[in-house]
Amino acid sequence: MDDEIEIEGDDGGERAAVAFPFDRITVQRFRETFPRARWSDRRRAWIVPGKTAQRRIDRWLAKEESRIDPYADAKGRDAYAFEPILSPYLGVDKDGFRIKTPYSHKIVAELHQVPYARWDGEVWRVPFASYDDLVDHWEAIEAEARRCEPGERRKRAEARKGTDEEKKSRRRAAERKRRRIPLPAEDLPPLARPIATAPYGIIVVGDVTGELVAPGDIADLYPEFPDDRVWGTWRIPALEELVHTWPSKAEPTEQERQRGWWLPTIEELREARRTARSRERRMAAQPPA
């Protein structure tokens, strides 16, 4: 872990930065210990304020070091050699495992459960030390990857033709093109700021029309809601907006999910930023009209 840790003092000891391999559970422990810490996308590090930040980080890192089995990588290599995962989606090199699959929210969610799994811009990386955890999730990962292959998608699309499911899918696509979303009239989200939603992921609400939503017209497209709703218009946020958005310290509560919007977590922002970078690269590569 030592060779992957970067710490630096700043501003006369008033704050310090720390970066470590991403792991959902480790990040959760870090945020519980440092509730005032904020992620800096520019520096690719967590910024911890306070004159004693450096000492507190050192203590936390020492505690995290004690959790690590020094032979975990060797054990993972041995386990893989004895009973390897044989799959076209899994490769191996000196640093660990490489996982490349068709994109799926479900696959991302499964990999987030594997300690120290990380996206390097092209493939998912998993260290040898996390092999047992990867095995526990691999059946679900591979099944979802096969389901998301283009050929399988085409087969499902053919099978859905003319069914109620296809009609609902077309309605959902048409609704998305309208770029509108029902919002609680008494608890509106902040405008011009990225927020997270269940149907559309992270969006920016640009305006609230004030037009009341008729629930019967959209009952099959949105979750049921007990309060009055009004229509809001939304757009996809730009990468720069996502980079400058501070993440929420806590996971959304059930009440916030029922409300229909919440402030995005660091994990949600990371995924949205990756998507935005890919989208902007594709746009930049397109020839001028």
Side-chain angles (χ1 to χ4, degrees):
M1 192 173 183
D2 287 341
D3 58 345
E4 299 184 68
I5 297 294
E6 173 194 334
I7 310 173
E8 56 183 276
D10 231 347
D11 297 342
E14 293 294 332
R15 59 178 178 163
V18 57
F20 48 87
F22 174 77
D23 170 56
R24 185 177 59 86
I25 303 302
T26 305
V27 170
Q28 182 177 335
R29 288 197 298 264
F30 175 81
R31 292 171 73 180
E32 288 172 353
T33 305
F34 302 99
R36 295 174 59 205
R38 291 292 182 270
W39 173 258
S40 169
D41 202 70
R42 180 179 62 82
R43 299 179 65 177
R44 309 297 300 168
W46 290 92
I47 308 301
V48 180
K51 293 182 179 180
T52 62
Q54 188 70 67
R55 291 200 299 273
R56 290 185 292 124
I57 287 173
D58 288 342
R59 287 197 299 269
W60 182 81
L61 289 175
K63 186 176 180 180
E64 288 299 306
E65 283 288 343
S66 69
R67 296 176 182 272
I68 299 175
D69 180 351
Y71 303 106
D73 270 345
K75 291 176 182 176
R77 285 192 183 92
D78 291 344
Y80 175 74
F82 180 72
E83 191 173 356
I85 295 174
L86 302 177
S87 170
Y89 303 111
L90 183 78
V92 63
D93 58 26
K94 63 181 180 64
D95 297 319
F97 303 102
R98 304 185 314 276
I99 300 166
K100 191 167 187 177
T101 69
Y103 179 76
S104 164
H105 282 288
K106 183 175 180 180
I107 290 174
V108 172
E110 290 289 338
L111 285 167
H112 278 166
Q113 305 302 312
V114 178
Y116 303 111
R118 62 182 179 85
W119 175 256
D120 71 359
E122 295 183 0
V123 298
W124 281 89
R125 291 277 182 176
V126 175
F128 287 110
S130 299
Y131 183 63
D132 287 343
D133 297 276
L134 181 61
V135 170
D136 291 341
H137 292 272
W138 189 255
E139 183 176 354
I141 291 171
E142 185 166 47
E144 178 67 7
R146 294 189 186 282
R147 197 183 76 85
C148 292
E149 289 288 358
E152 291 299 315
R153 290 180 184 273
R154 284 193 294 271
K155 288 179 185 178
R156 291 198 300 276
E158 287 292 328
R160 285 199 305 267
K161 281 187 177 179
T163 64
D164 290 341
E165 182 184 357
E166 187 200 29
K167 293 176 183 176
K168 182 177 179 180
S169 178
R170 288 181 180 277
R171 283 199 65 207
R172 189 179 295 115
E175 176 69 12
R176 183 182 179 90
K177 288 181 180 178
R178 298 180 73 174
R179 296 292 174 91
R180 64 177 189 173
I181 185 171
L183 300 168
E186 301 300 324
D187 197 358
L188 296 171
L191 301 182
R193 163 174 184 177
I195 60 168
T197 67
Y200 303 122
I202 296 183
I203 62 175
V204 173
V205 175
D207 186 30
V208 177
T209 67
E211 177 189 356
L212 284 174
V213 176
D217 296 340
I218 57 167
D220 61 334
L221 300 178
Y222 297 98
E224 292 184 13
F225 41 82
D227 48 1
D228 289 335
R229 298 274 162 148
V230 293
W231 286 113
T233 59
W234 62 271
R235 61 176 174 80
I236 297 172
L239 175 59
E240 185 177 2
E241 291 176 294
L242 294 168
V243 167
H244 289 93
T245 298
W246 285 113
S248 170
K249 295 185 194 177
E251 294 290 324
T253 64
E254 186 60 32
Q255 182 179 359
E256 287 174 323
R257 290 187 180 278
Q258 290 178 354
R259 178 179 65 181
W261 66 271
W262 58 92
L263 300 181
T265 63
I266 185 62
E267 290 81 9
E268 290 172 319
L269 282 169
R270 280 199 180 107
E271 183 178 337
R273 288 165 183 168
R274 284 196 295 267
T275 302
R277 286 191 184 96
S278 297
R279 182 171 57 249
E280 293 192 3
R281 280 197 297 265
R282 288 196 303 270
M283 293 177 64
Q286 290 178 355

